[in-house]
Structure formats: C-alpha cells, structure tokens
Amino acid sequence: MRAIVMDEFGGPEVLRARTVEDPVPGQGQVLVRVEFASITFVETQVRAGKGPFAPPSLPRIPGNGVGGTIVAVGEGVDEGLVGTVVVTTTGGTGGYASLARASAADVVPVPEGVALRDAVALLADGRTAVMLHEQAKIQPGERVLVLAAGGGVGGLLMQLAAAAGAEVVGAARGKRELVERFGSYVDYSEQGWARSVEADVVFDGVGGAVGTEAMTALRPGGRASMYGMASGSWSEVDGLPITVLERPGPPSPEELR
C-alpha cells in the first residue's frame, strides 16, 4: 500500500510517500480503507518533535484519525462490520496510508446523510468539545465564555453551550462574523477585554496571558476548563473563587499513540 512515512522530525518536508506492506488486523481490530485522514495541531507538534511530551520513536506512519470503509476484521470481531463506513482513531499512528488498523471498539459508523469528510473533520475536535461540555454541566441561563471561539473546538463549544440554553460569548482575535453566528463577540487582543464579561463558565484553549485574564471574568463559584494551552499555562489564578476543571498534565506519548 501507499503510505506517508517520517524518518526524522521537522517540517512537512519530512513526510515522504512510499510503498509499504499492507497491515493485517489483529485480535479485536479492523482494517479500514482510508478515504480521509485528519491532521490536528498536536500531530504537527509530533511531526516537528516539539510539544509538552516526549517525541515518539521513528520511523513512523503518522495519523490518528481516519474515515473510510472497513475491509477486513481480526479475530473476535463481528464480520458484519465489513463494508461499514466509519470514522475512527488509530491509536496515534498509521492514519496517513491507504489502509489503517484500528480497534473495533473505537470505530463510529457514519450516519446516513453525513458526508465522510465532515465526519472526519469532527472526529478530534468533536470528541474534545463534547467531553468539555459534559464536564462543565452547563445550566440554562448561565453565561459561557469561550476563548479561541473561531477555532474548531471553540466553535463547537459555542454551539453546544447555546443548545444547552446558555448565553454564549466568544472571545477571539478576528473571525467575528463566524463567532457571531453562535453568540456575541469580544476581541481578546484589546486591553482589558475581560472586564466587559461576567461568566459562569470559561472554556480556555489559549492559556498564557489571555487565559489568565479570562479567569478574572469568572463570577464567584464559576467553573473553568483549560485545554490546548496554545500560549502556555495560566500564570495567576491562585486565590480566585473558581473551580478549575483541568486534566492533571499534558497527554503522555502512549495516549497520543
């Protein structure tokens, strides 16, 4: 099969197409004929050998999210899955290829009427947004502040919060027209922007100085969830009257694989 293989870390030029052996599904696995493979920000960090985690071993076929048709199954897997159009994670490697292995427990059949390309685009950001939304337990009438509202996870969080009956404020630097489709807009590059917002819930995918300032917008007893940390961790949140919904640290290499 054809696959993209990286033998070194660096820019996109380290991704090279070559012919490799077809993978064979093992116990509990399926084999997917790949039509679309997703690319996330984290995967570009892995490719570059940077990020808050140890670089994986090389050589490797990158790719953690794919969409396509199941063409074979391994031992212990229902053969009726063959022919099913699915999206799935691969465990962190093997997605940039004609064929990819995945755990049968991870595959999600694509509903009728949903384009496969759209389903793959939603796979990574969608599961992150749903997890954060469920964790926050948003109540109708609450005000929710979403940072990086013009991005993939941020845009989905705005929609989920609005569907839950919340008043939604999207903080971004640009993309105003997009953000205002789902709520009100505030420019977080402006001095003192957070003073205009009082929020019960903050979703922060930015971190750094912007995320730290966003914490000042929280009402007493508010909830905050940090994810992504694109600009670094919060610097001054000790003593604020908030409950922080935060994972204990960056994902391990095993989680990314």
Side-chain angles (χ1 to χ4, degrees):
M1 70 172 183
R2 295 286 284 171
I4 299 297
V5 181
M6 55 180 290
D7 299 301
E8 58 184 316
F9 298 106
E13 67 277 2
V14 304
L15 304 176
R16 300 180 178 93
R18 65 181 64 161
T19 300
V20 300
E21 292 186 4
D22 290 359
V24 176
Q27 184 171 359
Q29 294 182 323
V30 299
L31 188 65
V32 178
R33 184 174 65 242
V34 177
E35 296 181 44
F36 295 97
S38 68
I39 301 175
T40 67
F41 175 67
V42 170
E43 288 175 348
T44 66
Q45 290 182 301
V46 172
R47 184 207 67 218
K50 302 176 181 179
F53 39 80
S57 58
L58 297 176
R60 67 187 271 113
I61 299 173
N64 187 45
V66 299
T69 304
I70 295 176
V71 295
V73 298
E75 183 180 350
V77 180
D78 182 6
E79 293 185 359
L81 287 175
V82 174
T84 304
V85 178
V86 299
V87 293
T88 183
T89 60
T90 64
T93 184
Y96 298 1
S98 303
L99 297 167
R101 282 182 297 205
S103 169
D106 290 337
V107 302
V108 179
V110 178
E112 186 176 349
V114 176
L116 180 57
R117 177 176 179 174
D118 294 342
V120 173
L122 283 168
L123 180 61
D125 287 350
R127 64 185 177 181
T128 300
V130 168
M131 178 193 69
L132 291 167
H133 173 74
E134 291 179 347
Q135 185 184 42
K137 296 180 172 59
I138 296 169
Q139 301 300 309
E142 289 189 314
R143 177 177 285 183
V144 176
L145 173 61
V146 179
L147 274 65
V153 175
L156 292 169
L157 282 169
M158 288 194 72
Q159 295 176 69
L160 288 167
E167 178 187 353
V168 188
V169 179
R173 188 168 50 197
K175 300 185 180 180
R176 179 168 189 156
E177 184 177 346
L178 174 63
V179 172
E180 289 185 333
R181 292 173 58 187
F182 312 115
S184 57
Y185 171 85
V186 62
D187 186 341
Y188 62 57
S189 67
E190 295 182 355
Q191 187 73 24
W193 65 271
R195 289 196 295 268
S196 65
V197 182
E198 289 186 356
D200 301 291
V201 179
V202 171
F203 292 114
D204 175 22
V206 180
V210 172
T212 300
E213 185 169 359
M215 295 307 101
T216 67
L218 271 170
R219 293 169 173 156
R223 289 104 65 203
S225 182
M226 173 188 279
Y227 67 96
M229 298 175 287
S231 297
S233 298
W234 296 327
S235 58
E236 300 174 2
V237 295
D238 289 346
L240 288 178
I242 61 174
T243 299
V244 180
L245 306 176
E246 182 185 3
R247 63 174 298 138
S252 67
E254 290 73 24
E255 289 178 287
L256 290 171
R257 292 170 193 162

